[in-house]
Amino acid sequence: MGLSGIEIFKKLPKTNCGKCGVPTCLAFAMKLATGQAELDACPDIPDAVKEEIGEASAPPVKTVVIGTGDRAVKLGGETVLFRHEKRFENPPAFTLLLSDKMDEAEITTRLKKFNYTVYERVGVVLRPELVAIKAESGDASRFGTLVEKVCNETDAGLVLMNEDTEALSQVARSCSNRKPLLYAANKNNFETMGNFAKELSCPLAVKAGNLEELFEVSEKLIAMGLKDLVLDSGARSAKQAFEDQIIIRRSALLKKSKPFGFPTIVFPCEMADNLMKETMIACQMTAKYGGVIVMSEIEGHSIFPLLLASMNIFTDPQRPMAVEQKIYEIGATNESSPVLITGNFSLTYFIVSGEIDSSRVPSYLLIKDTEGLSVLTAWAAGKFAADTVATFVKKSGIEEKVKHRKLVIPGYLATISGELEEELPDWEILIGPREASHLPAYLKQLKI
Amino acid sequence: MAFEVPKVSYTGKIREIPLGREGSTVTVGGESCYSFHLFEGEMPYTPKIAMEVYDSEPEDWSDTALEPFADVIKDPVAWARKCIDTYGAEMIALQLASTDPNDKDISADEAAKITKKVADAVEVPLIVWGCANVEKDTEVLKAVCEVCEGKNLIIGPVVEGNYRAIGAAAIAYKHTVVASTPIDINLAKQLNILLGNLNVPDEKIIIDPSTGALGYGLEYCYSVMERIRMAALVQEDERLQFPIISNLAKEVWKTKEVKVTEAEAPLLGDLGKRGILMEALTAQCVLLAGANILVMRHPEAISLVKQSIKDLMTGK
């Protein structure tokens, strides 16, 4: 963004020392320009130049971090409006809302659920990321107690929501080492809140009644030297929020609007009267530019589909997702269960394993590393050739798991069966269906 | 510096396609902006949801999906009526799953008979979807076109391998075709050109760029739909200015995640609500990407999506 590779190159030391891991300064500059390298990798750039390049090459939506350590959440950093144009960078942070009006037992239950709601898919950890604590009781000590409890019971990043700036600042001071998001500065209190966020080095949310007001307050906070803002346009209907999110993102990208060049915070929890509808709105925000997405509850049936949506939308379109090369056991397998083999493109894995699962025929699925390519592409690229398949089958350990020697290969790869039989003389090669959807019928009639 | 709304200037428009028989048509398309971008363009016709009906009793359906239809599951006509009378279906999508040679392999004649019965029993537009076996679909969908002459069915999937035969039947008996391609904008465009060359009228074409379920390749479909819309609306690509259909229900309801019980996987939460949301969220994503017709299954998922469409169109 901003600077081209050549423009960046002019500012580099031109020593070609290679300390950054790239042989020449020019190559390093090119990588910087496309976002494939970090400026910090160069040990010899003076700080002033670093700041200049950093500023100019920074993404139009600034990256803002909430929380610390393992649980620090990065938001923003976006450079495109549509994922196919490059990729989306940082998925939204689904956030559990807790109010200081809730009773303690309820809070304990919800926090516990929040903490143990962690999924793993294709090696990626998916979870709700933040806890928002909202002052509604009007009692500053209640709010303080709740924040303390949450700090004790989770390492997650926090959003502190209190309209009383005095009460907010007291509590924020006590946990500023956790880098909470302070919610929120508005047109009346922005000076106090701005100075306070600066003093604590915490990210600051900006809340307004509409986009014009948001723009003005954000502009003033930038002028005060604030760098880490999160925007709330005040929209509380699906339609208005949709429009505002699009206008904010477009302004940042197309008009280089600094006041709108930040991630956003949205509140599906205030836009629906039940979790099902709330989940639909949160999904809308996941696709169209929500940053912090605040939910009234974290329930598996709602957060799991949302995290899947988020994972799908934020997958890098240029890099196929791959699963680990190994034997996957589907169902209660035994020594006479069928053995199937396919490539490690994650979609192939999900679909094939899903179909095997629904066939209710316990099976071993061998996933061969094809560098994330689908079966036919992998074959064309030599990643599913008979010799490499044979080596993998022999080394996989499948021969110790089953008594039979029958291997089902994808129907599209029927052509390699002869060669494969030569490479694996002990094995009989069976040609499976071309489409995964025909696997259940195939497996049900398969005689081992 | 004052703030100014950055608007996209659209130069193209999606074709308006009337579906169903004369007198009771439902129109889709007509957009002059990206989906729901109503601050800079128009969506004269809201996206529509077609409810699925199967030609014979489905096997392996989850209880969640089965429950609303338990009383009609063996009878496609009663099933279609229930969708319309009880759930207010705007369209019906008859899935001719049992024509699949790998399944029950019922004959083209039999499939045509079932289709005719359903077509005679419903007044809303009827989508008829084959089993995605190129040869069998050719046979079946040709027969369907013939026996339902004049009803302006929406026939699919029409693919590169069978577009001539099915396209010709659709022209002869006045139906609309679903041009189906595997997640590729260029192939989608190419097939529309071929259909045009065959003289399928432009107001008789709907695009199906393929659909994957949430967690199962949805992102590919999402992006190909966004790209098709972009080409149609801002790059004036005339051969992509058609409404889009997403046949999503059968993809969602075969995934593991809508079937595994809460006891088996406590973190996944309530089984029923999870299935409904898996379907509704898949629909929500393709809606935002540009789909005009959604083929859906569960009444509660449909009602969530309808509400969402209404919210996005009217602001409540």
Side-chain angles (χ1 to χ4, degrees), chain A residues 82-84 116 118-119 121 215 239 242-243 246 250 260 277 280 288 300-301 312 345 347 350 438, chain B residues 1 3 6 8 36-37 40 102 215-217 219-220 223 226-227 230 257 267-268 284 311 313 315:
Chain A
F82 297 94
R83 62 185 291 282
H84 67 256
Y116 74 57
V118 184
Y119 309 96
R121 201 171 167 91
F215 187 92
K239 182 182 160 87
F242 181 74
E243 292 183 9
I246 287 165
R250 267 196 204 160
F260 281 168
K277 187 175 169 192
M280 293 294 283
K288 294 296 172 191
H301 69 258
N312 281 167
F345 176 33
L347 197 53
F350 281 128
H438 298 147
Chain B
M1 187 172 81
F3 149 68
V8 168
F36 306 109
H37 287 47
E40 58 186 12
N102 290 298
Y216 289 81
E219 68 270 34
Y220 297 91
S223 283
E226 285 199 328
R227 291 185 62 196
M230 192 178 268
E257 288 79 2
L267 278 181
L268 296 184
Q284 178 82 319
D311 289 349
M313 292 297 296

Side-chain angles (χ1 to χ4, degrees), chain B residues 68-106:
Chain B
F69 308 106
D71 54 336
V72 291
I73 207 86
K74 289 180 169 53
D75 179 355
V77 171
W79 189 342
R81 282 310 328 167
K82 183 167 189 183
C83 289
I84 297 167
D85 300 334
T86 309
Y87 301 120
E90 301 163 309
M91 291 187 202
I92 297 293
L94 178 63
Q95 307 269 17
L96 296 176
S98 12
T99 59
D100 191 340
N102 290 298
D103 196 332
K104 296 194 187 82
D105 199 17
I106 67 166

Side-chain angles (χ1 to χ4, degrees), chain A residues 121-347:
Chain A
R121 201 171 167 91
V122 215
V124 179
V125 173
L126 302 171
R127 69 193 310 169
E129 294 285 0
L130 304 172
V131 180
I133 304 151
K134 188 175 184 182
E136 288 184 308
S137 66
D139 176 347
S141 72
R142 255 188 100 95
F143 181 64
T145 314
L146 176 55
V147 173
E148 198 184 330
K149 178 180 165 74
V150 175
C151 282
N152 288 335
E153 291 175 23
T154 177
D155 293 331
L158 308 174
V159 183
L160 303 179
M161 304 174 66
N162 198 333
E163 285 172 9
D164 176 349
T165 49
E166 189 50 38
L168 179 60
S169 59
Q170 266 180 28
V171 171
R173 216 175 281 280
S174 73
C175 63
S176 65
N177 60 332
R178 304 269 301 244
K179 290 269 171 283
L181 172 64
L182 309 179
Y183 184 95
N186 58 38
K187 63 177 183 203
N188 300 319
N189 70 9
F190 70 89
E191 269 179 85
T192 318
M193 288 298 294
N195 283 325
F196 181 60
K198 244 170 44 179
E199 181 199 328
L200 296 186
S201 311
C202 286
L204 175 64
V206 188
K207 189 193 175 184
N210 55 48
L211 287 176
E212 287 78 14
E213 190 182 306
L214 184 66
F215 187 92
E216 283 164 24
V217 180
S218 175
E219 200 172 33
K220 285 175 183 157
L221 286 163
I222 293 172
M224 285 171 65
L226 272 288
K227 291 191 160 62
D228 296 311
L229 302 179
V230 175
L231 308 175
D232 176 5
S233 73
R236 294 297 183 270
S237 78
K239 182 182 160 87
Q240 192 60 51
F242 181 74
E243 292 183 9
D244 288 0
Q245 292 297 314
I246 287 165
I247 292 169
I248 290 171
R249 174 69 65 89
R250 267 196 204 160
S251 302
L253 267 53
L254 307 178
K255 303 271 179 191
K256 307 277 175 250
S257 160
K258 296 252 188 257
F260 281 168
F262 295 100
T264 62
I265 180 168
V266 291
F267 293 88
C269 59
E270 292 178 23
M271 297 160 63
D273 53 11
N274 65 72
L275 185 60
M276 302 294 272
K277 187 175 169 192
E278 189 178 321
T279 307
M280 293 294 283
I281 296 173
C283 176
Q284 170 198 318
M285 308 292 197
T286 302
K288 294 296 172 191
Y289 318 142
V292 178
I293 300 183
V294 187
M295 303 294 293
S296 63
E297 285 176 78
I298 298 297
E299 289 289 344
H301 69 258
S302 144
I303 194 72
F304 177 71
L306 279 174
L307 287 165
L308 285 186
S310 163
M311 184 180 192
N312 281 167
I313 301 282
F314 283 79
T315 294
D316 184 347
Q318 292 157 5
R319 198 182 310 161
M321 299 202 74
V323 295
E324 193 190 340
Q325 161 168 304
K326 64 173 191 179
I327 304 172
Y328 292 80
E329 297 182 14
I330 300 166
T333 48
N334 61 38
E335 57 189 23
S336 49
S337 300
V339 178
L340 300 91
I341 187 164
T342 191
N344 79 333
F345 176 33
S346 65
L347 197 53

Side-chain angles (χ1 to χ4, degrees), chain B residues 228-240:
Chain B
I228 288 174
R229 272 304 138 98
M230 192 178 268
L233 294 170
V234 301
Q235 293 152 9
E236 288 161 87
D237 199 329
E238 272 195 22
R239 294 320 287 171
L240 289 169

Side-chain angles (χ1 to χ4, degrees), chain B residues 293-313:
Chain B
I293 307 171
L294 309 172
V295 177
M296 295 187 64
R297 184 172 299 175
H298 200 286
E300 284 180 52
I302 292 169
S303 129
L304 283 168
V305 176
K306 274 191 180 164
Q307 180 66 48
S308 184
I309 293 172
K310 190 169 160 240
D311 289 349
L312 283 164
M313 292 297 296

